[in-house]
């Protein structure tokens, strides 16, 4: 089980690093109009929703990467808050703006992933030992 936990933590580290890079690229395009590699902006979203989208994605990546490297004791708790905000944003984007572009199964998968990541960060022994001082 320890090996699976370590692999999962590495997966989270890679995924959140990807989120940080994706969020920074999204902000670059949002603020300058320069398309970094592929078009990242979604025309279905109003400007404010698009800004919050990139802010949450960038923040999630930055918080986990920084928290993991510094072993910040509040990382699991802050990540749960960020995941819950991403889930709310996903709900708004899916049901208010993207009904024809996004399937319910993709929406449900994203919500389930946020839940699994949150439970892992809060309750796994690896997470508790890495972020040493955090206790639920």
């Amino acid at each position: 089980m320890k090996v699976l936990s370590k692999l999962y933590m590495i997966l989270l580290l890679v995924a959140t690093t990807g989120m940080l890079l994706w969020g920074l690229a999204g902000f670059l395009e949002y603020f300058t109009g320069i398309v970094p590699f592929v078009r990242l902006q979604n025309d279905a979203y109003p400007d404010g929703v698009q800004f919050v989208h990139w802010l949450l994605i960038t923040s999630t990546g930055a918080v986990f990467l920084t928290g993991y490297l510094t072993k910040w004791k509040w990382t699991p708790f802050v990540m749960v808050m960020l995941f819950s905000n991403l889930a709310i944003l996903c709900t708004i984007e899916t049901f208010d703006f993207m009904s024809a572009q996004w399937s319910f199964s993709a929406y449900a998968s994203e919500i389930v992933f946020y839940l699994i990541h949150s439970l892992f960060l809060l309750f796994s022994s690896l997470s508790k030992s890495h972020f040493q001082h955090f206790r639920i």
Side-chain angles (χ1 to χ4, degrees):
M1 204 61 176
K2 256 186 169 178
V3 172
L4 286 178
S5 288
K6 286 182 182 183
L7 287 173
Y8 195 84
M9 188 68 86
I10 291 168
L11 172 70
L12 264 177
L13 190 58
V14 169
T16 54
T17 301
M19 288 178 80
L20 175 60
L21 296 173
W22 178 37
L24 291 172
F27 267 136
L28 173 70
E29 184 178 342
Y30 179 82
F31 286 118
T32 67
I34 298 168
V35 177
F37 40 90
V38 297
R39 183 162 161 71
L40 298 173
Q41 304 306 307
N42 188 324
D43 295 329
Y45 302 161
D47 286 344
V49 172
Q50 191 74 68
F51 177 81
V52 172
H53 176 89
W54 296 123
L55 180 65
L56 286 174
I57 290 170
T58 305
S59 298
T60 301
V63 164
F64 189 75
L65 185 60
T66 303
Y68 180 83
L69 294 174
T70 63
K71 297 184 178 187
W72 184 43
K73 68 180 179 178
W74 296 107
T75 301
F77 180 70
V78 174
M79 289 303 295
V80 170
M81 290 190 323
L82 286 166
F83 287 148
S84 66
N85 281 286
L86 282 165
I88 292 168
L89 181 64
C90 180
T91 302
I92 292 167
E93 291 172 347
T94 300
F95 294 106
D96 288 348
F97 301 112
M98 293 179 48
S99 59
Q101 298 173 347
W102 196 251
S103 71
F104 180 75
S105 61
Y107 163 76
S109 297
E110 189 169 339
I111 300 302
V112 167
F113 281 124
Y114 292 143
L115 180 62
I116 291 169
H117 297 335
S118 295
L119 291 172
F120 175 80
L121 287 170
L122 290 175
F123 298 110
S124 76
S125 58
L126 177 65
S127 179
K128 287 179 181 180
S129 67
H130 185 81
F131 305 106
Q132 293 173 12
H133 303 288
F134 180 78
R135 297 288 181 257
I136 264 198

